[in-house]
Amino acid sequence: MKEVSIVPIEKREIIPVWEAASRILEQTITLPTETVPLEECDNRYLAEDIIATHDVPPFDRSPYDGFAVRAEDTQCASKQAPVLLKVIDSIGAGHVSEKTVQEGEAVRLMTGAAIPKGADAVIMLELVKEIGSGKIEIGRVFSPGHNISKQGEDTKQGTPILKKGSKIHPGAVALLATFGYERVQVMKKPVVGILATGTELLDVGQELVPGKIRNSNAYMIASQIKKAGGEPRLLGKMPDDLEQTYNGIIAALQQCDVLITTGGVSVGDFDHLPAIYKKMEAELLFNKIAMRPGSVTSAAVYEGKLLFGLSGNPSACFVGCELFVRPFLLKALNADKVHLGVLKTELQEDFLKPNPFTRFVRSRVEWEGSVPAAVPVGLDKSGSVTSLADANALIVLPGGTRGWEIGSEVTTLLLDGEGSVWPWDLAVKSKS
Ligand SMILES: Nc1nc2c(c(=O)[nH]1)N[C@H]1C(S)=C(S)[C@@H](COP(=O)(O)OP(=O)(O)OC[C@H]3O[C@@H](n4cnc5c(N)ncnc54)[C@H](O)[C@@H]3O)O[C@H]1N2
Ligand code: MOO
Ligand SMILES: [Mg+2]
């Protein structure tokens, strides 16, 4: 048996979740920007405001296949006494007629074609009778502007269209293309180093042997980082050895903007992260949060870089990453809704045992019925990993002296979709 020196367990300051989140958000990193081809900018964060550089549409155009006419020529038209117009030109989209529509004339034109000079209305093909020899009959009155898509009706030149810090989605791509952005200026992705600690860890490709498990956290975090707009850098794993892990962390910090370690943050004999932070003389932001899972989630600053010490327990690690790492990265990317989205849901299970710590229950929000229902999924233990497979949300059960019954209205944090500005006022409020 390896000999270990018994040192008294240090008392940790327990802080609320919102306090931990705000301590993280007080930290900043400045990311450079880069330009990427339009077709590669999906899910990146804009580094500049996008302003309409021209009117949309850029000219008056036809929204239908039809005939461009002078509305005043139809003023006496009726079913019984249709007006006769002479068709002087025919154009498709992409062409501009050189003719000017004069009294008694019309231009045949297709959807998207520019309205010819002189015309101020478009009549759909279906409403016009073509009577041969380049003549058409109109059987009703049309007013000026009828079926004209006016220049600038969609947006005017100079209008702000997309904000710096917005995430580029298909609709944004359409606008960037509209305004001629072949390349887009985006925030460079923050490089997030991931270092797993634990003598028990095997590589993913290794066979199980007694006492060992595969390193799932590092890959899970890498996936979470990508989803949050960062660039994960898998830096391998370390055995539970203070010196090796210390050296590994110092080396890892050279390669990234932010460093995440997993494991070794609790009070066990081989939980070396607290001692490593001390040895590094890093500024500890916190090492105990009134939450479950993830109560031992830690963070420290070393030479201006943020170090997240996430728990080794997979569910605790996952929750710590979503609640603290994600907002930090999104803030660096200039996003404004950096926290998980919030939804009020109806609790579908009793959680009657009171818990002094706020609980984050892996759950699935189901959209059947008129009120979204949040259903807890899998084993609600910090060490469980399979509950993560079905989770698309975290039910928040604020800590307190009473449990929570089926049917209670609870705040749920959504793991997908748009985020929120600051969910904690809502989420951590006790029901009493
Ligand atoms: N006496 C106490 N024991 C524990 C406490 C406590 O307050 N007093 N806290 C418990 C809580 S809560 C948690 S959470 C864990 C935190 O543990 P650590 O963050 O120190 O993590 P480890 O001890 O290294 O590992 C915990 C658990 O997770 C597994 N693990 C570790 N790394 C990975 C990985 N990369 N992929 C998959 N699984 C991993 C590891 O094998 C352990 O089973 O401490 C409690 N104990
Ligand atoms: O940190 Mo542990 O996950 O609170 O249970
Ligand atoms: Mg431990």
Side-chain angles (χ1 to χ4, degrees):
M1 195 178 78
K2 196 175 166 190
E3 208 172 297
V4 284
S5 53
I6 309 291
V7 281
I9 293 168
E10 235 176 78
K11 196 142 176 48
R12 299 187 181 189
E13 182 206 4
I14 306 178
I15 61 168
V17 185
W18 61 264
E19 172 68 29
S22 57
R23 286 188 195 180
I24 290 296
L25 291 177
E26 278 165 18
Q27 306 302 316
T28 45
I29 41 169
T30 308
L31 297 171
T33 66
E34 62 181 343
T35 63
V36 294
L38 179 61
E39 58 273 32
E40 287 168 25
C41 71
D42 299 81
N43 298 321
R44 300 296 300 270
Y45 289 79
L46 272 173
E48 56 180 337
D49 290 328
I50 302 294
I51 310 285
T53 48
H54 57 71
D55 288 346
V56 180
F59 49 85
D60 290 355
R61 68 183 176 193
S62 174
Y64 292 119
D65 304 321
F67 290 91
V69 302
R70 289 157 27 106
E72 63 175 301
D73 288 353
T74 68
Q75 292 317 298
C76 306
S78 66
K79 237 185 191 155
Q80 294 74 29
V83 163
L84 207 63
L85 299 177
K86 184 180 167 210
V87 180
I88 56 165
D89 202 359
S90 175
I91 55 167
H95 294 278
V96 177
S97 177
E98 281 164 12
K99 308 264 176 58
T100 298
V101 179
Q102 312 274 7
E103 190 178 347
E105 292 177 347
V107 165
R108 186 181 173 92
L109 85 179
M110 300 303 127
T111 306
I115 305 295
K117 279 195 230 104
D120 61 1
V122 168
I123 306 172
M124 290 168 77
L125 285 184
E126 297 87 327
L127 302 180
V128 171
K129 192 169 171 200
E130 297 185 61
I131 55 169
S133 21
K135 298 267 168 57
I136 55 171
E137 272 184 8
I138 313 294
R140 51 164 272 208
V141 176
F142 291 92
S143 42
H146 184 79
N147 286 341
I148 305 272
S149 287
K150 292 296 286 177
Q151 175 175 341
E153 75 172 11
D154 191 344
T155 199
K156 293 261 186 291
Q157 181 174 356
T159 308
I161 297 292
L162 294 166
K163 272 202 346 221
K164 176 178 169 175
S166 46
K167 187 176 180 180
I168 301 175
H169 52 67
V173 171
L175 289 159
L176 291 162
T178 298
F179 295 115
Y181 287 83
E182 281 183 295
R183 296 186 69 82
V184 186
Q185 211 192 345
V186 295
M187 301 303 295
K188 211 163 172 7
K189 294 181 187 182
V191 176
V192 182
I194 303 164
L195 191 62
T197 74
T199 303
E200 73 278 32
L201 300 179
L202 297 169
D203 289 328
V204 173
Q206 285 182 291
E207 286 301 321
L208 284 186
V209 288
K212 307 263 183 184
I213 55 163
R214 295 195 182 94
N215 169 15
S216 57
N217 285 351
Y219 297 91
M220 172 186 75
I221 295 169
S223 176
Q224 291 177 285
I225 296 303
K226 281 189 236 165
K227 201 170 163 192
E231 187 177 312
R233 191 152 296 166
L234 287 160
L235 300 172
K237 56 187 169 58
M238 289 278 150
D240 289 315
D241 177 274
L242 197 151
E243 280 306 314
Q244 268 192 64
T245 309
Y246 170 84
N247 291 331
I249 288 176
I250 298 289
L253 279 165
Q254 305 307 310
Q255 305 178 48
C256 54
D257 299 311
V258 182
L259 180 65
I260 298 178
T261 58
T262 79
V265 279
S266 186
V267 294
D269 296 341
F270 305 102
D271 290 335
H272 295 308
L273 264 296
I276 291 172
Y277 293 153
K278 275 207 180 113
K279 187 173 157 94
M280 293 169 81
E281 295 184 11
E283 180 204 343
L284 188 70
L285 298 180
F286 51 80
N287 61 6
K288 189 87 184 174
I289 308 172
M291 64 185 267
R292 193 133 272 158
S295 62
V296 288
T297 306
S298 303
V301 180
Y302 177 73
E303 293 185 349
K305 282 190 185 168
L306 196 46
L307 270 143
F308 287 96
L310 301 183
S311 164
N313 272 330
S315 285
C317 183
F318 179 90
V319 170
C321 190
E322 292 299 320
L323 300 191
F324 308 112
V325 182
R326 181 182 188 275
F328 179 73
L329 299 180
L330 288 172
K331 187 186 151 217
L333 289 161
N334 289 321
D336 53 2
K337 293 179 181 168
V338 302
H339 300 279
L340 295 172
V342 203
L343 184 73
K344 288 278 183 195
T345 56
E346 202 175 84
L347 192 59
Q348 304 296 303
E349 231 174 70
D350 278 335
F351 283 83
L352 299 176
K353 202 174 140 207
N355 202 310
F357 285 5
T358 296
R359 293 174 69 177
F360 294 86
V361 185
R362 275 85 67 209
S363 352
R364 199 159 179 82
V365 169
E366 307 275 0
W367 296 93
E368 287 153 31
S370 55
V371 180
V375 187
V377 286
L379 185 65
D380 185 39
K381 274 190 162 179
S382 154
S384 94
V385 66
T386 55
S387 58
L388 296 168
D390 272 340
N392 65 6
L394 301 169
I395 293 173
V396 188
L397 300 178
T401 50
R402 290 172 51 195
W404 296 81
E405 310 86 39
I406 279 189
S408 310
E409 191 190 63
V410 285
T411 297
T412 306
L413 301 177
L414 302 174
L415 297 170
D416 301 312
E418 196 162 324
S420 68
V421 176
W422 181 253
W424 302 117
D425 302 335
L426 260 180
V428 299
K429 244 195 257 158
S430 135
K431 64 178 176 179
S432 52

